[in-house]
Amino acid sequence: MKSNEYPRRLPPILALRRSALGLLAAALLIPTSSNAQAPYVVTRDSNIGYTSLPNTSTVVGGGVDTHHPVTLPFPFAFFGQTYTQILVGTNGYITFPGNNASVWNSWPLPDPTKDPKPLIALWWYWQTCPADGIRSQLSGTAPSRRFTIEWRSCHRWNDSSGTWQAKLILDEGSSTITTEYGTHQNTSVFPAGQLVVGIQNQTATQFHLGLANQCNKCGGSDWPTDTRITYSQGPQLRVSEVRVPFVAYAGVPAHVEATVSNVGGKPADGFTARFWINSVASLTDGAIDLGLVPGLVDLDPGDSADFTLDPRLPIHLTPGSYYIIAEADPHHAVPVNSRGSSISASPPMTIGLPAPNLIPTHIVAPERIAPGSQFTLNWVAQNIGNAEAVGAPYRVVLSTHVLHGPSSRVLYESAVDIPVLDAITMADTIAMPADVVPGQYHLGVIMDPDGVIYEHEISNNIGSSDAVQVADDLEVHIVSSAELPPAEVGGLYSVTLLAGGGDGVYSWSVAAGSSLPPGLSLRESPAGAREAGRPFSTALQGALNQAGEFGFTLEVESAGIPSAEAFRLTGLPSGLPLQIGTSELPQAFFDRPYTAHLSAIGGTPPYHWKVIDGSLPQGLLLDPEGRFSGAPMKDGTFIATIRVSDASGSFAEKGLDLVVLPPNSLVCSTRQLPTKAIDEPYDEYLLAAGGRVSWTTRETRYLAGGHGEESQSRPGEAPPGLSLRADGRVTGAPTRAGAYLWNFDVVEVLDRETMRQPLRPITCEIRLEVRLDRGLTVGTQALPPAVVNQGYTAQLQASGGEGALTWSLMPGSTLPEGLTLDASGLILGSPTDPQLDGEESRLFPFLVHVADPHNRTARVTLSILVEQPRTVHVPKEKRVEGGCQAASAESSVLALLAALGFAARHRRAEGEQA
């Protein structure tokens, strides 16, 4: 929920009383104005989810009625004047050099007669904080850094029961001021009329109250729990996050995202974002434009938007670390007061080694192919990677669906050379095996099927043709028996009609001059499959409404070839005892869609069907209405006891055999094992079709889960914690999280009486994922600054996981010179001076990785600010031994006037507090 307060105009101040000493001191201490004093707009957001700074944040100080000078890590503009230092008071406000920061007695705003004038009041009254009660933290990278100051466990000076916590946030390149409020333990310790919340300019001619009720002297009951108050001089865009892949490749598209927020107080309308890539995290020389995000976005105050782009990275990028830089509003359509926060860089992104990326496209085959004949397959082999593919192998396969894989039948194998970003037109002459069952198929091309070529992407290596009819001119014949199972009057009846020959696609109809038994009709299923070019079946279905003997003729047509058959059906009267009418099931083919419908006679409909003994092959299901659906993924004869029950509770049972015809070669059916957690046991059987087989592990490959990880090979070994028997049984419990590709050698096992040669052995690949059951989280979000040539120590912290944690830097990340990170997470050393290149300070970002023994991992981007030692100049006493003095008279007078001005203000403040 948001609320807005637009600035009020104040009457001009007619008179401003200042002594000459005070004016001179102010002139010496207050910076020069950099732009006009534009009014601020106040925006409030509730339910923000307040979070405190980590305990590793920098201690500013504490105490009673004290102030602490803080040097800002970047210049900050306040009401048109730029500052590099602020004074942070324990009394719940900040001001700027030249102003008294230890004033406890708050007064209504504005008051030009009192100091401090320029101030940001979070919770202004006489208060005390613990010695470490005020802390600061610098986050982000230039030019989009954020500096946060937090008051924690502070309370009214004479009552420690009312502790509170709040934060002040300043953003680099922006004059926007953000305050966030957490909890307050006892608001009653601050009666009404004591507190001030708001901001005031340098001359007390402009002010803005922060709380929603606009109270100028507030009480504890006005505390804005879990609320963010933003003071902004207009719209202000901030790129708050840039997300990129850990690894990308030159010449290959990469998905990049950026979140842009309007942290200002007015709408930001009609802008977009642009992405760049550079070897450094800024828009310096060498940055390459990746493109503009299409469309324009409007953002209200406090709102955010995500900008995404999939640019093809420049082909000339060499392997190494790069940064994606997001620039919000590159056309400067939004009138912001500073554009520093509208540009931000991603964490380091690694450009990987050059490699091809193989894609088969435009696969065109004849619409009809006769078994045993030759045909030409036209297709295009593309390489969209950034390295030449030499001798890239490929396979042409045949399948009943477009999802080609290990179960597809191999028709042809060859190889091709493809230059970088090139495409080769292919025309392969292929023989269609004579034993292919007529029907509808798809031809596919699988490039690099065995993974012998390192590629950037392997998910796009498979392409498929449109539907192809495999058929010759064989005569179409009807397979279904002319004597159909009997039907009961009023009972559900369904018999699937079967035919052979033709092209495998059969269209059934009632012959001219014939009619179906009353209540029955021909129905195709699944609905719409014929129109979509998918496999379908036809059944004689319905509820017979008349008893008797019925004769009728059905016709079937396939590939333009017709056939006809006379059928007979007996209609039985109702009231018969419940029984299963289906006597046999039609044969099924491995990995081909299968449909059939069971029928019952007698009893009281509706019927309910289920398997009570035996089993169906994997991939095939029987629903409660008696329909089989799916595609069997195991061959052989399956015996299942089927039970049908009716509305009265009666039931009947029958054992039915389902024969699944095998493929023409060994095929792996199991393609993925269920996901388990660490120590969760497995007891699964791997399945293959084509014969009785034996399983042996060839290799297990651990798949890298992100930037900095490497894929690992375990030749001849199962995934950690698992074991495999020769019959395909997988047992054990995984001990290491991650994703694995488990490769097997599968061979057919023949009985001694078998005289034939075994089928050709195959290699199968199964994916296995072991999920993280206990999260591992990095607790360290910020590190203290380091000083050149001084000892530095920081301990990284993480929670979760199990066992000892191991820390490391991600590849491509480095610590500042002179610092090291050991496996325990301790950063030690002394930073060196040359790396600052003559600057006073420099921020060094890096990426760290932590893992437990079970491969639970976490990563975080951190940074260390390395700065020069701060030199404190103590003026030496000058002795006058005659003649001219060492210091000029003019400088002495100015110093004296400044000191007198400071003393006057100090006495005035003491008088006000008294």
Side-chain angles (χ1 to χ4, degrees):
M1 215 170 85
K2 299 182 185 137
S3 62
N4 295 294
E5 173 211 334
Y6 290 91
R8 65 175 69 178
R9 288 188 182 273
L10 296 177
I13 303 296
L14 300 179
L16 180 63
R17 296 192 303 166
R18 266 192 182 174
S19 67
L21 292 176
L23 286 170
L24 181 55
L28 293 172
L29 294 174
I30 297 179
T32 304
S33 173
S34 59
N35 51 40
Q37 292 190 11
Y40 282 76
V41 173
V42 184
T43 305
R44 303 173 188 88
D45 299 276
S46 57
N47 301 317
I48 62 170
Y50 183 93
T51 57
S52 184
L53 292 182
N55 291 330
T56 55
S57 56
T58 303
V59 175
V60 172
V64 182
D65 192 25
T66 57
H67 69 276
H68 305 277
V70 174
T71 299
L72 296 174
F74 45 77
F76 173 70
F78 182 66
F79 280 103
Q81 296 193 22
T82 302
Y83 298 90
T84 58
Q85 191 179 63
I86 58 176
L87 303 177
V88 182
T90 59
N91 290 333
Y93 71 90
I94 73 164
T95 186
F96 301 91
N99 290 270
N100 187 0
S102 297
V103 178
W104 62 267
N105 183 23
S106 61
W107 49 76
L109 303 180
D111 193 333
T113 66
K114 298 179 180 179
D115 279 334
K117 290 182 178 61
L119 60 83
I120 303 171
L122 277 83
W123 197 243
W124 179 19
Y125 190 67
W126 193 6
Q127 302 183 84
T128 181
C129 300
D132 62 348
I134 304 177
R135 309 179 74 95
S136 69
Q137 176 180 272
L138 178 66
S139 58
T141 56
S144 301
R145 291 173 292 178
R146 165 169 281 194
F147 188 63
T148 304
I149 299 173
E150 182 178 40
W151 287 255
R152 62 169 72 173
S153 300
C154 298
H155 55 85
R156 181 175 173 172
W157 69 274
N158 61 349
D159 192 336
S160 61
S161 66
T163 59
W164 55 273
Q165 56 181 351
K167 291 186 295 190
L168 168 72
I169 302 170
L170 306 178
D171 289 294
E172 186 173 12
S174 171
S175 63
T176 298
I177 304 157
T178 304
T179 56
E180 294 183 354
Y181 295 82
T183 58
H184 197 308
Q185 299 301 320
N186 183 8
T187 58
S188 64
V189 302
F190 291 102
Q194 288 188 342
L195 297 153
V196 170
V197 176
I199 63 174
Q200 178 176 269
N201 72 345
Q202 293 84 353
T203 57
T205 56
Q206 291 186 19
F207 76 102
H208 304 281
L209 301 177
L211 296 179
N213 60 5
Q214 298 291 296
C215 58
N216 208 330
K217 286 286 282 186
C218 311
S221 61
D222 297 307
W223 174 264
T225 301
D226 210 25
T227 295
R228 177 186 297 115
I229 302 175
T230 303
Y231 306 87
S232 174
Q233 291 178 293
Q236 185 64 50
L237 299 177
R238 182 174 70 231
V239 179
S240 55
E241 185 181 14
V242 183
R243 299 175 293 279
V244 298
F246 287 119
V247 180
Y249 302 94
V252 176
H255 184 73
V256 296
E257 300 179 354
T259 299
V260 179
S261 304
N262 180 8
V263 297
K266 293 182 179 179
D269 295 335
F271 74 96
T272 184
R274 187 186 296 275
F275 289 95
W276 306 75
I277 188 170
N278 204 356
S279 58
V280 295
S282 61
L283 279 181
T284 58
D285 292 342
I288 301 172
D289 185 3
L290 295 181
L292 196 69
V293 178
L296 299 177
V297 170
D298 299 337
L299 284 183
D300 288 332
D303 285 350
S304 300
D306 289 334
F307 292 82
T308 63
L309 200 65
D310 293 279
R312 186 179 297 277
L313 301 182
I315 190 67
H316 64 268
L317 296 179
T318 57
S321 291
Y322 290 81
Y323 299 85
I324 298 294
I325 298 108
E327 179 186 10
D329 189 27
H331 300 140
H332 296 184
V334 179
V336 300
N337 57 53
S338 172
R339 301 199 176 271
S341 63
S342 64
I343 299 174
S344 184
S346 70
M349 178 182 72
T350 297
I351 297 297
L353 296 173
N357 188 358
L358 306 176
I359 304 177
T361 62
H362 301 90
I363 301 171
V364 179
E367 293 183 1
R368 180 173 174 179
I369 306 171
S373 67
Q374 288 190 332
F375 66 96
T376 299
L377 183 71
N378 297 291
W379 61 286
V380 176
Q382 287 187 273
N383 177 10
I384 63 171
N386 57 2
E388 182 181 9
V390 179
Y394 67 88
R395 289 177 187 158
V396 177
V397 297
L398 184 70
S399 180
T400 57
H401 46 69
V402 296
L403 301 177
H404 303 283
S407 64
S408 302
R409 184 171 182 175
V410 178
L411 301 184
Y412 181 79
E413 294 184 89
S414 188
V416 62
D417 298 338
I418 318 176
V420 177
L421 298 177
D422 203 353
I424 307 296
T425 301
M426 309 292 293
D428 293 321
T429 300
I430 303 170
M432 179 63 69
D435 59 354
V436 173
V437 178
Q440 181 173 282
Y441 294 87
H442 292 266
L443 287 158
V445 176
I446 305 177
M447 302 200 70
D448 191 24
D450 297 321
V452 297
I453 294 179
Y454 171 68
E455 294 186 66
H456 294 152
E457 176 65 50
I458 62 173
S459 64
N460 54 8
N461 284 23
I462 302 175
S464 181
S465 72
D466 291 334
V468 172
Q469 298 296 333
V470 177
D472 53 22
D473 292 330
L474 292 176
E475 181 181 354
V476 176
H477 57 278
I478 294 176
V479 177
S480 295
S481 173
E483 193 70 36
L484 294 173
E488 179 196 13
V489 174
L492 176 64
Y493 185 81
S494 179
V495 173
T496 301
L497 301 174
L498 303 176
D503 62 5
V505 179
Y506 305 103
S507 299
W508 291 84
S509 61
V510 181
S514 184
S515 60
L516 296 177
L520 302 185
S521 62
L522 298 178
R523 296 180 184 176
E524 293 179 355
S525 64
R530 177 206 286 263
E531 292 77 7
R534 298 193 301 268
F536 65 95
S537 64
T538 304
L540 180 63
Q541 289 184 346
L544 190 67
N545 55 34
Q546 181 181 333
E549 297 290 334
F550 302 95
F552 53 95
T553 301
L554 297 179
E555 292 181 345
V556 63
E557 182 269 333
S558 181
I561 304 171
S563 182
E565 180 75 41
F567 290 89
R568 295 179 301 277
L569 182 144
T570 301
L572 304 175
S574 60
L576 298 174
L578 180 63
Q579 57 184 300
I580 294 176
T582 303
S583 57
E584 62 180 12
L585 293 171
Q587 289 182 335
F589 291 92
F590 173 81
D591 198 23
R592 292 188 63 180
Y594 180 82
T595 57
H597 203 297
L598 299 174
S599 64
I601 300 173
T604 306
Y607 304 126
H608 185 277
W609 299 83
K610 66 179 178 178
V611 177
I612 63 170
D613 196 14
S615 63
L616 297 176
Q618 183 185 26
L620 200 60
L621 298 173
L622 173 65
D623 67 23
E625 295 181 354
R627 290 189 298 263
F628 288 97
S629 61
M633 299 305 297
K634 187 171 178 59
D635 59 331
T637 300
F638 298 86
I639 303 173
T641 301
I642 308 296
R643 172 181 288 180
V644 61
S645 56
D646 66 4
S648 68
S650 300
F651 65 87
E653 298 173 357
K654 179 183 285 189
L656 295 175
D657 295 350
L658 174 63
V659 177
V660 180
L661 298 179
N664 296 310
S665 61
L666 291 181
V667 174
C668 292
S669 303
T670 304
R671 295 164 187 168
Q672 183 166 349
L673 286 172
T675 299
K676 300 275 189 176
I678 294 172
D679 296 330
E680 187 177 356
Y682 274 96
D683 192 356
E684 306 281 341
Y685 276 92
L686 305 179
L687 301 178
R692 189 164 64 91
V693 300
S694 175
W695 297 78
T696 306
T697 295
R698 167 179 282 196
E699 176 198 33
T700 295
R701 279 184 288 166
Y702 168 73
L703 303 179
H707 175 63
E709 288 192 329
E710 295 182 356
S711 296
Q712 301 172 2
S713 176
R714 297 165 54 98
E717 297 183 33
L722 302 184
S723 60
L724 172 69
R725 291 194 331 195
D727 62 355
R729 186 181 183 186
V730 177
T731 57
T735 59
R736 190 172 187 263
Y740 299 86
L741 287 180
W742 195 355
N743 287 274
F744 308 91
D745 288 326
V746 182
V747 298
E748 185 182 16
V749 180
L750 297 180
D751 297 330
R752 293 182 180 180
E753 294 78 9
T754 304
M755 302 302 294
R756 67 175 178 83
Q757 290 291 326
L759 296 174
R760 187 180 68 171
I762 60 173
T763 299
C764 296
E765 188 173 74
I766 293 175
R767 184 176 177 87
L768 167 68
E769 185 170 347
V770 182
R771 67 175 181 270
L772 294 172
D773 54 344
R774 300 182 186 89
L776 183 59
T777 303
V778 177
T780 303
Q781 299 299 316
L783 292 169
V787 179
V788 167
N789 296 328
Q790 294 185 17
Y792 182 87
T793 302
Q795 177 65 57
L796 303 180
Q797 302 289 338
S799 60
E802 183 179 14
L805 302 181
T806 302
W807 295 82
S808 62
L809 288 171
M810 301 292 281
S813 288
T814 57
L815 290 173
E817 293 179 6
L819 301 183
T820 60
L821 170 67
D822 66 18
S824 69
L826 187 64
I827 299 177
L828 286 170
S830 299
T832 60
D833 183 33
Q835 61 190 318
L836 295 186
D837 294 330
E839 298 180 9
E840 287 295 320
S841 63
R842 185 179 173 190
L843 192 68
F844 293 85
F846 53 91
L847 194 63
V848 295
H849 173 274
V850 61
D852 73 356
H854 299 285
N855 199 40
R856 302 180 181 95
T857 63
R859 304 175 184 88
V860 69
T861 300
L862 298 172
S863 59
I864 295 178
L865 180 69
V866 178
E867 53 189 4
Q868 297 283 3
R870 297 181 183 178
T871 304
V872 179
H873 297 284
V874 179
K876 295 181 179 180
E877 181 181 358
K878 300 183 184 296
R879 299 179 59 190
V880 180
E881 298 180 352
C884 297
Q885 297 181 354
S888 68
E890 181 181 0
S891 63
S892 298
V893 171
L894 289 175
L896 177 60
L897 291 175
L900 291 173
F902 175 80
R905 286 196 307 277
H906 183 65
R907 285 193 300 273
R908 184 172 61 222
E910 287 180 343
E912 290 168 347
Q913 294 185 19

